[in-house]
């Protein structure tokens, strides 16, 4: 039976470290770090994520400024707000909640954020610094995953790691951070041939695909460490019956509540094979917000 990598507990620890860092600043007579969060439109999931981030700020002593813009905001208005926040010396970090409403160019908006305030780590300058192994803001999800893996003492040097997914937000930076720790890394994606065979070679498997239950138990090397970044809502009972065969409680929730959250890995099957695994929910999700708080504290120290 696999060890559960408790992302929620580890995130609490990271948040406690941030809180201590904020208190140390205040004790030196410095102001609290400040994160500006920009939300355009009323996407319910984005509203939930923003609430979570604002709450984490409150819990750690970081000041948060919420900027809510209407759904019909145009690119010029959004970028003008970003410029205003860039030049505001009282703001340390700027986060534009994604996805943006249709018609807005997310990349162009993100590229407007001053790299020093880009606490999501999505700006090309920060991505370039990561590529070069130089200090800069790292994307929150992969950097927090690394923080947890190190805390659990997961061996990284010389490890054969497979990262499923090549997004700029998770897959690519995850692979680079693992490489920085001397893992031997393969990045897989939708055109990869023989995904199951490749996964079976991995001592460390990171799934960041967004396909519920894609990774079957039989794809996992016995004893491997599995990090499941995917967050998917499943409402289709036929799919649930396939992917939750080894998780009767999840299937039950799906049938009674009409939907259930799950990762990219078939958790019940993987538990039997893996050496350690992150659950969904309660695994990587809470780590991401903790990573954001870390980046915001760091931005205030620049
Ligand atoms: P993207 O959609 O940007 O990228 C998905 C990647 O998965 C792509 O590289 C795609 O390949 C690959 N892929 C898709 N289908 C397959 C397949 N059948 N086989 C192999 N590879 C495949 O997603 P994100 O990286 O933004 O997010 C991935 C998941 O992580 C999502 O579920 C998301 O909700 C979750 N997430 C969770 C976070 C957290 O806090 N826990 C934070 C961020 C994301 P290709 O490039 O070829 O299209």
């Amino acid at each position: 039976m696999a060890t559960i990598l408790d992302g929620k507990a580890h995130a609490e620890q990271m948040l406690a470290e941030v809180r201590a860092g904020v208190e140390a600043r205040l004790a030196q007579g410095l102001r609290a770090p400040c994160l500006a969060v920009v939300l355009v439109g009323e996407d319910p999931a984005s509203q939930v994520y923003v609430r979570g981030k604002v709450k984490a700020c409150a819990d750690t002593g970081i000041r948060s400024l919420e900027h809510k813009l209407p759904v019909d905001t145009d690119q010029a208005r959004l970028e003008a707000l970003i410029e205003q926040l860039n030049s505001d010396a009282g703001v340390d970090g700027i986060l534009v909640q994604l996805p943006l409403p249709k018609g807005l160019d997310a990349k162009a908006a993100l590229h407007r954020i001053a790299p020093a305030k880009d606490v999501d780590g999505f700006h090309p300058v920060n991505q370039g610094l990561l590529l070069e192994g130089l200090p800069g803001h790292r994307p929150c999800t992969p950097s927090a995953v690394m923080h947890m893996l190190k805390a659990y003492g997961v061996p990284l040097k010389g490890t054969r790691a497979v990262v499923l997914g090549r997004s700029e937000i998770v897959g690519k930076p995850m692979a680079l951070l693992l490489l920085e720790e001397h893992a031997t890394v393969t990045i897989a994606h939708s055109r990869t041939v023989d995904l199951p065979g490749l996964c079976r070679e991995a001592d460390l498997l990171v799934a960041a695909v967004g396909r519920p239950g894609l990774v079957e138990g039989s794809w996992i090397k016995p004893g491997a460490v599995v990090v499941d970044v995917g967050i998917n809502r499943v409402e289709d009972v036929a799919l649930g019956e396939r992917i939750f065969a080894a998780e009767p409680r999840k299937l039950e929730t799906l049938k009674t509540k009409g939907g259930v959250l799950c990762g990219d890995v078939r958790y019940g099957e993987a538990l039997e094979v893996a050496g350690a695994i992150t659950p969904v929910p309660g695994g990587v999700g809470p780590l991401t917000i903790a990573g954001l708080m870390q980046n915001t504290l760091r931005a205030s120290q620049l």
Side-chain angles (χ1 to χ4, degrees), residues 141 165-167 169-171 188-191 195 208-211 214 229-232 264 284-285 288:
T141 304
R166 56 176 164 180
S167 72
I169 294 171
V170 190
H189 45 78
S190 64
R191 321 296 154 81
L195 205 53
V209 173
R211 299 274 179 273
L214 174 78
V229 180
I231 302 179
N232 313 291
D264 292 339
V284 175
T288 297

Side-chain angles (χ1 to χ4, degrees), residues 89-221:
V91 169
D92 301 299
I94 303 170
L95 178 147
V96 176
Q97 184 62 45
L98 301 177
L100 290 173
K102 278 206 175 68
L104 288 177
D105 182 341
K107 255 197 176 155
L110 296 177
H111 289 191
R112 278 279 177 167
I113 298 175
K117 297 190 178 190
D118 164 43
V119 283
D120 257 336
F122 296 161
H123 191 282
V125 166
N126 283 314
Q127 301 254 2
L129 291 169
L130 167 61
L131 192 70
E132 292 203 354
L134 295 171
H137 292 305
R138 306 303 197 221
C140 304
T141 304
S143 68
V145 165
M146 293 302 291
H147 197 276
M148 182 182 69
L149 292 176
K150 287 181 191 169
Y152 270 96
V154 172
L156 299 170
K157 193 171 167 182
T159 284
R160 183 75 207 268
V162 171
V163 178
L164 299 183
R166 56 176 164 180
S167 72
E168 264 113 58
I169 294 171
V170 190
K172 283 184 197 167
M174 186 78 240
L176 288 168
L177 289 172
L178 287 167
L179 197 59
E180 208 166 74
E181 293 299 326
H182 313 293
T184 303
V185 187
T186 305
I187 307 177
H189 45 78
S190 64
R191 321 296 154 81
T192 296
V193 175
D194 186 20
L195 205 53
L198 181 71
C199 291
R200 266 182 225 116
E201 291 174 15
D203 300 309
L204 172 61
L205 181 63
V206 181
V209 173
R211 299 274 179 273
L214 174 78
V215 179
E216 302 177 20
S218 64
W219 295 21
I220 296 168
K221 180 176 178 179

